[in-house]
Structures are given as structure tokens and as C-alpha cells.
Amino acid sequence: MQHSKGLIPLLFILLFSSGSFADEISHLENPLQFFKKYYTKEQLKEIHKLNMKVLVEIEKKTKYPPKMEKEQARINWMKYAFPLINSANALGINGRCFFGGWMTDQGKTWCHEPWRYSEVQDIKDFGPTYNSEYFCGGKNLFRCNPTIFGMPKKPNPKLGRNPDRGICIKISSYDHVTRKCTEQAMKYLDEFVEELEKDSKGLSSFLKHTAEILRYCEVDKLDYCAKLKEYLELVTKKAAECEKAQAGELLPKVDPPLDADDLDKIVIKLEPTPTPAPTPVKVDKPIPTPIPTAVVTPTPVVTPKPEPTKKPEPTLDDKIAKYSNSYGTQKMIERMRETFTKNCSDKGCIGSKTNIPTGNCWRHVKHGVMAGGYARVYMEDLKVDYPYTRTASAKYAGRDFFDDPKVGFTNLLKTEKYKNMSSTDAPKGAVLVYEGGAHGHIEVKTADKEYISDFRESNPIDASNPYRRTTRKLIGVYVKID
């Protein structure tokens, strides 16, 4: 078995470069042959799971339209006439983004609905696009991209039309579409991988999406990106151990840099020159054997490497500042500002209302925490789409939710440094929990002079009026300081 140093890069160019796939679209059996030869079903399944996890991370950092619309083939024709205008302001990669696994257009403000750009050629090159064949047929329904999330053998015929086209999910907003698609796809993981092993075209489209996901990883270091890269490198190294003849069947033909004559010359130079037989010499007396002189090799001087400078451990204040300025906290604050004038339940936030308390403060804060991604592990563990807690009382939010290790928030009032912190001194993004009254109160400090729950005020609830100052007591200032 021979090892080629250039084999692994060539395999990555062949398999994981979207440009190479676009050029080699007529040779779709090559990647299928490669995966059948060197990858197991379990390894392909792991790549699939890591792809979905990275897409969920990408979703958390992508802004989506705040208003839902029914699936429709409506296209922004200005994009065709003046393509550089929008792409200059694009927030995604090359003006593209992922929406429920579909490749679509990244506008100046948010990632656009995939059906709007289903006829754009470079998006069509990645595989099926969200055209009328994939419409679920309802404003609150969304079709997960079957290239990423698969097509179940026995889909639910009651959930959207054309159930054989892939999974349709119910949604109340566009914020967590990819996560919901992933939850459903995990139920059909084995079916999906079995189909990939048979479908050359589907596998090629899947690999092109993987290549694009890796491009996101180069721009933004997401948690699962490193795991995806490491896993791909690990399983691809097996191909580097194959014989040259086997590798040649899969890789593009490359002319050798030397012809046969050049190789013969090199071989002749490397062969030992024949030594003539020695002439016998008549010796009258024995010749003394010379004593070899010992050769003293100088001991190399080893220069000690300087000790690497250790980074100082972040202080509690550093960790709090990191939380306040984190992407998750910014998303939570955005969501709180969007929903305090809506009616929120465990199904979502809809309609409109005035800026007055409704007794649903904990529900509103939960939607903010979900938008920040801080409830994800908690909900995955319970296999739910909403962070249900033991009681609906806001005063038990710490005990029932934030103190849970799967959520991992810290109550600053239980630290020595901030045990006397007031609500007005709390950091931006802190979740403030109060006792008093029948159910207490909960709110998020979204900025200086801005506190939001199911209503918004410029002062925290325990400092807003004399009655609340005497009936509400601050018992939790929660932040996430990993």
C-alpha cells in the first residue's frame, strides 16, 4: 500500500468543492463510487447529522423575515437586472444563505424566502429548488429541503400536499425552521442514508451542500464546524492508503511529469556500479591492521524554547460583558422588542396589543430566551418545541428553568461580588426575577432605561412606582457565563 501526500487534497477538491462539482456534473457516478468504496453507512450518517447541526448554528446567526407569507413563485427581478447592488450588501456567503436547508438569497436585511429565488441558475445548480412542486400549500407550512432532510418512505399525507416531496412542518415564524426540520429528519435518518447510497444525483447534490456549509465554516467558526472538518478528514484518509491503481479509478487523469526515458535514466543512476574483481596479491608477511581513530561527534547545543505566555483567566466581569455583547443576547433582545405588543402563548406570538401588563410576562420572556438559543438544549432533552416548566409562575423561573444545568445561567445575586446588585445595576441582557404578589414577575433588561416582559418600561418593576417597590423583591439576576 502506498501513501500519496497529494491524494487527500485532490479528494477534497473532487468531493467537497462546489466549483469542481459544477464542472463535473456529467460524472455524477464518481462521488457515489468513492463513497461506496471508502465510507460506511454509519460514517455517511454522521456527516449528515453534523451537516444539520452546523445548519442549525447558521440559522441562529441569520436574520429571517419577521412576517410570514404563503409559498409563491414571486421573484425579485431587480436581482437579475442589477445583481451587484444587492450582493454588495450581502450578509451571507457570496450573497447566498440557508433557509430551512434551501439555498436562497441573502438580502441587505435578512435571508429571503427560498421560493422567491427558485429560478436563479446558480441556486438551481445545487439541486432541487423551492418551486411549486415542493409547496406544502399553507401559510403556516414549510417544506424542508429533501436534499438535506430527506424524503420519508411513509410521510404524513395530512401534513401538506405532495407528501412524497419531503417533510412539511408547521411553523409560527421563520426563526426556528431549520431546527424543526432537523428534529423531524432525525426520525428518518436511516432511510435518508439508504437512499443516498442508491441515488448518485442526490448524493452529489448533498455533497455540494456540504461544500457550501464548509465555506460558512471558513468565515464563521461555529461549534460543530470543527467536528465536521475533523470527521471528514478522518474518514477520507482511508482513501490515501489505497493502491495507486485504485486511486486512479476515482481521481481525474493526470499526466506524469516524467516520461519513460526519464524514469529509465533515474533508475540507471540509482543502480550500484559493478565493481571489478580484485587482483590477488602475494603477501610474504602479515600486514598489521590499522587501529581506527575514534571520531568525536560534538554534542548539539539545544536552545530551550521559551515558555508560552499564558492568557489570564477571564474575570467575572469579562464573562458578564461577553454575555451582554453576545449574538444570542442580541437576538433575545430583538425578539423581546418585537413581541411585547403581541399576544404570546406556547404556540407563538400573534396579533397586537397595547403596552400594558397582561399577566403573561414569563411567556414573553421564554420566547426571547428561545430566540437567543438559550433554551435549545433544555428543549432537545424534553423533545418539545417550547420550554415548558413545572409552574407558570414567574417567581419560580429560576428554580424551574434558569438554574437547570441544561440551561446553565448564573444568578449574580448568589456571587460574592454582586450579592447586593440592584435591578438598575444589572447588566444588559440580564433576566430579572422577582417574588411578591401571586406569581411574582420576570423581565429582561434590554438596555439602560429599557425593561421588557409583556410590556415595556424605562424603569425596572421594583422601581417603577411606590406600590411595586414594596410588593416586588428582586431574587434573581440571571446571565449565562460559561
Side-chain angles (χ1 to χ4, degrees):
M1 305 299 277
Q2 306 225 356
H3 181 83
S4 171
K5 292 183 179 178
L7 183 57
I8 294 175
L10 279 171
L11 288 170
F12 271 95
I13 290 172
L14 176 66
L15 293 171
F16 303 115
S17 165
S18 56
S20 295
F21 266 118
D23 296 336
E24 300 294 332
I25 199 72
S26 60
H27 300 91
L28 296 174
E29 50 283 342
N30 278 352
L32 185 62
Q33 181 186 359
F34 174 82
F35 268 79
K36 281 185 175 180
K37 201 173 186 79
Y38 298 108
Y39 280 57
T40 66
K41 179 180 177 180
E42 291 303 314
Q43 288 168 339
L44 190 56
K45 188 190 298 184
E46 189 63 25
I47 292 172
H48 179 218
K49 288 194 289 187
L50 288 170
N51 266 344
M52 291 191 291
K53 289 178 179 179
V54 174
L55 283 174
V56 171
E57 289 188 294
I58 292 173
E59 180 180 60
K60 294 178 187 175
K61 297 197 171 188
T62 305
K63 193 168 184 178
Y64 296 97
K67 293 184 179 180
M68 292 171 54
E69 68 175 24
K70 189 175 181 179
E71 303 155 315
Q72 53 188 310
R74 185 153 58 106
I75 300 172
N76 181 358
W77 292 103
M78 292 294 288
K79 193 76 175 178
Y80 292 96
F82 305 102
L84 295 178
I85 293 177
N86 285 338
S87 61
N89 297 316
L91 304 177
I93 304 298
N94 287 348
R96 297 289 176 252
C97 56
F98 284 108
F99 198 126
W102 300 95
M103 186 71 66
T104 184
D105 174 74
Q106 172 64 67
K108 183 177 179 180
T109 306
W110 50 60
C111 184
H112 289 296
E113 297 88 344
W115 46 83
R116 288 173 174 256
Y117 294 86
S118 61
E119 296 303 317
V120 178
Q121 187 56 50
D122 69 318
I123 293 178
K124 293 171 73 174
D125 288 341
F126 277 86
T129 59
Y130 205 140
N131 55 34
S132 57
E133 295 181 9
Y134 292 92
F135 289 176
C136 292
K139 185 177 180 180
N140 65 333
L141 294 177
F142 185 95
R143 176 89 65 187
C144 305
N145 186 353
T147 298
I148 297 294
F149 301 107
M151 292 183 284
K153 293 180 181 178
K154 296 180 179 180
N156 183 357
K158 297 181 180 179
L159 194 59
R161 65 189 183 203
N162 299 329
D164 58 329
R165 291 290 183 179
I167 302 168
C168 283
I169 58 171
K170 289 184 178 180
I171 57 174
S172 56
S173 73
Y174 290 140
D175 287 340
H176 304 290
V177 170
T178 303
R179 178 175 60 79
K180 290 183 177 180
C181 286
T182 299
E183 290 171 356
Q184 293 300 313
M186 292 298 290
K187 301 175 183 178
Y188 310 104
L189 194 58
D190 289 324
E191 288 183 20
F192 176 74
V193 174
E194 286 173 5
E195 289 302 313
L196 278 187
E197 291 180 316
K198 303 173 187 175
D199 182 9
S200 176
K201 190 173 181 179
L203 178 60
S204 293
S205 183
F206 173 77
L207 294 176
K208 279 187 271 187
H209 279 79
T210 302
E212 194 68 9
I213 290 169
L214 288 174
R215 292 176 67 195
Y216 271 82
C217 291
E218 292 298 325
V219 175
D220 201 338
K221 305 303 180 184
L222 304 169
D223 291 343
Y224 284 103
C225 278
K227 292 181 181 180
L228 177 60
K229 284 184 176 181
E230 288 173 9
Y231 196 81
L232 286 170
E233 291 173 1
L234 175 66
V235 294
T236 307
K237 282 181 182 177
K238 292 188 302 182
E241 298 170 0
C242 70
E243 294 181 5
K244 292 181 179 179
Q246 292 174 312
E249 295 174 2
L250 299 171
L251 297 176
K253 297 294 184 182
V254 180
D255 293 329
L258 300 174
D259 58 23
D261 292 335
D262 293 329
L263 291 171
D264 287 341
K265 292 175 184 177
I266 293 174
V267 172
I268 291 171
K269 287 181 180 179
L270 292 177
E271 290 178 349
T273 304
T275 305
T279 304
V281 179
K282 186 177 180 180
V283 181
D284 295 331
K285 56 183 179 179
I287 300 173
T289 304
I291 301 172
T293 306
V295 179
V296 180
T297 304
T299 305
V301 179
V302 179
T303 305
K305 293 183 179 180
E307 289 276 338
T309 305
K310 291 184 179 180
K311 293 183 179 179
E313 288 291 326
T315 64
L316 179 59
D317 289 340
D318 293 334
K319 294 177 180 179
I320 294 172
K322 182 180 178 181
Y323 164 79
S324 295
N325 298 314
S326 68
Y327 177 81
T329 300
Q330 298 309 312
K331 292 287 286 186
M332 177 175 69
I333 290 173
E334 286 178 15
R335 185 66 172 162
M336 296 300 298
R337 287 171 175 162
E338 290 172 1
T339 58
F340 77 90
T341 56
K342 297 181 180 181
N343 296 301
C344 291
S345 69
D346 58 349
K347 304 300 182 184
C349 298
I350 59 174
S352 62
K353 70 175 188 65
T354 57
N355 185 28
I356 58 173
T358 60
N360 294 320
C361 56
W362 189 195
R363 287 181 185 174
H364 282 72
V365 172
K366 281 182 178 179
H367 282 282
V369 172
M370 287 169 64
Y374 295 130
R376 178 175 57 85
V377 177
Y378 178 90
M379 293 189 298
E380 286 178 355
D381 184 68
L382 296 177
K383 296 181 173 58
V384 292
D385 293 332
Y386 180 81
Y388 295 100
T389 49
R390 279 194 288 169
T391 69
S393 293
K395 62 184 177 182
Y396 297 125
R399 181 199 69 183
D400 293 349
F401 184 75
F402 292 105
D403 291 332
D404 191 308
K406 292 185 289 294
V407 181
F409 272 58
T410 298
N411 186 353
L412 294 179
L413 297 183
K414 293 184 178 180
T415 64
E416 184 61 30
K417 184 172 183 179
Y418 293 115
K419 60 184 179 182
N420 296 318
M421 175 177 278
S422 67
S423 53
T424 53
D425 294 331
K428 184 181 75 171
V431 181
L432 308 179
V433 180
Y434 304 86
E435 64 180 4
H439 300 289
H441 182 65
I442 188 169
E443 61 191 1
V444 176
K445 182 175 181 178
T446 51
D448 287 337
K449 299 294 182 181
E450 186 181 52
Y451 298 80
I452 303 177
S453 54
D454 54 336
F455 62 100
R456 179 170 65 180
E457 284 198 344
S458 58
N459 294 303
I461 196 168
D462 63 345
S464 56
N465 61 52
Y467 170 74
R468 287 175 175 167
R469 280 199 295 271
T470 58
T471 59
R472 296 291 186 270
K473 179 184 177 183
L474 182 68
I475 58 173
V477 179
Y478 284 95
V479 296
K480 190 167 180 66
I481 51 174
D482 296 330

